[in-house]
Amino acid sequence: MTASADGPGSPGRFIAFLGLLGIIAASCTALGVWQVDRLAWKTALMAAVDVRSTGEALPAPLVPVNEDDTVYLRVHLQGEYRHAQSIRVKALTDLGAGHWIMTPLVTEETAVWINRGFAPGGMDSTELNRPLGVRRVVGLLRMTEPEGTLLERNDPDNDRWFSRDVMQMSAANGMTAVVNFFVDAEHEGAPNAWPRGGLTRVAFRNTHLSYAITWFVMAALALGASGWLITDRRRNKIVHDV
């Protein structure tokens, strides 16, 4: 009897194929376990953020911060706006298309970029609420958004902004970025005043459970295929031996 009559091929190829299925099963299992770990991390982060974003405002940390420990933390800080250095960042909100109005707030220690809120596209600066003097700002701490979006990159030279990149915005204004975050301010001024603050959506995409299930199912399929091949080969061997 030739080797070609033995199931999927020669014994060497059969063992190699089983080995490949074993590697696939092990890899998928490892990825599934990793997704379970990520699920636990994301769930804990979401619970922490829920507490941070709704609690009493704490003094803003005027030093670089760690995202996991501070993102969406409700903070307060005090300083004077530099409206002449404001930057408009492209935005799409429930209020329509327009811009986030990003303005440096100069405190006693440093300058922090404040997202003062949304303004419709084409709105002139004179139509915006521009508070003067020392202001107390309350809002949610957000991490810097480097360089732009997946499809559009910031172009500081032409004043075209698609993400709130603290480092780039500071450099464009001749400032030194000391912190790696900005603050989404709560609304300030009359209810219908622009810019409209307090529009932050505190939401996280959490697909780790579905990914974990997918990886574990793929691992089970690889193991099932291995079992089927072994059973089929044994059955064929018995038939050929008879």
Side-chain angles (χ1 to χ4, degrees):
M1 186 68 63
T2 62
S4 61
D6 264 347
S10 66
R13 291 181 178 178
F14 177 76
I15 292 172
F17 192 61
L18 282 183
L20 176 61
L21 288 174
I23 292 172
I24 292 173
S27 298
C28 290
T29 299
L31 288 169
V33 170
W34 179 71
Q35 288 293 342
V36 170
D37 290 341
R38 294 290 292 176
L39 173 63
W41 166 79
K42 181 63 72 67
T43 301
L45 177 61
M46 292 169 65
V49 165
D50 185 57
V51 174
R52 293 176 202 161
S53 62
T54 58
E56 181 180 352
L58 301 176
L62 300 180
V63 294
V65 298
N66 177 276
E67 180 175 5
D68 287 354
D69 297 332
T70 55
V71 66
Y72 292 112
L73 177 67
R74 191 164 181 259
V75 299
H76 68 80
L77 63 167
Q78 187 168 288
E80 292 189 58
Y81 283 119
R82 295 292 185 261
H83 294 292
Q85 294 177 299
S86 292
I87 286 176
R88 299 190 181 207
V89 179
K90 184 179 179 180
L92 183 62
T93 73
D94 292 339
L95 300 178
H99 300 92
W100 299 120
I101 306 300
M102 304 295 298
T103 306
L105 183 80
V106 179
T107 72
E108 291 183 356
E109 296 87 358
T110 186
V112 177
W113 283 95
I114 307 297
N115 176 15
R116 296 180 53 230
F118 172 82
M123 180 169 284
D124 190 84
S125 297
T126 58
E127 302 177 74
L128 300 176
N129 178 34
R130 302 177 74 179
L132 301 176
V134 177
R135 313 294 299 186
R136 183 178 186 270
V137 177
V138 178
L140 299 182
L141 185 150
R142 302 290 305 280
M143 299 305 294
T144 184
E145 300 168 347
E147 298 184 354
T149 66
L150 181 63
L151 300 177
E152 298 175 297
R153 312 299 285 178
N154 290 334
D155 184 4
D157 292 339
N158 293 301
D159 198 27
R160 290 170 55 83
W161 299 89
F162 303 99
S163 75
R164 295 161 291 191
D165 185 327
V166 169
M167 309 304 172
Q168 279 191 328
M169 292 190 300
S170 296
N173 273 293
M175 300 161 48
T176 300
V178 174
V179 299
N180 58 342
F181 63 85
F182 60 92
V183 175
D184 272 351
E186 296 177 359
H187 185 66
E188 187 175 8
N192 60 346
W194 302 103
R196 198 70 48 83
L199 298 182
T200 309
R201 286 187 174 182
V202 181
F204 289 89
R205 185 169 178 264
N206 189 1
T207 57
H208 297 296
L209 179 59
S210 62
Y211 285 151
I213 292 173
T214 298
W215 287 120
F216 287 138
V217 167
M218 291 177 67
L221 289 174
L223 290 174
S226 297
W228 182 86
L229 286 174
I230 292 172
T231 301
D232 183 66
R233 187 177 183 86
R234 286 177 177 174
R235 184 171 54 249
N236 287 338
K237 186 176 186 302
I238 291 172
V239 171
H240 291 314
D241 288 344
V242 172

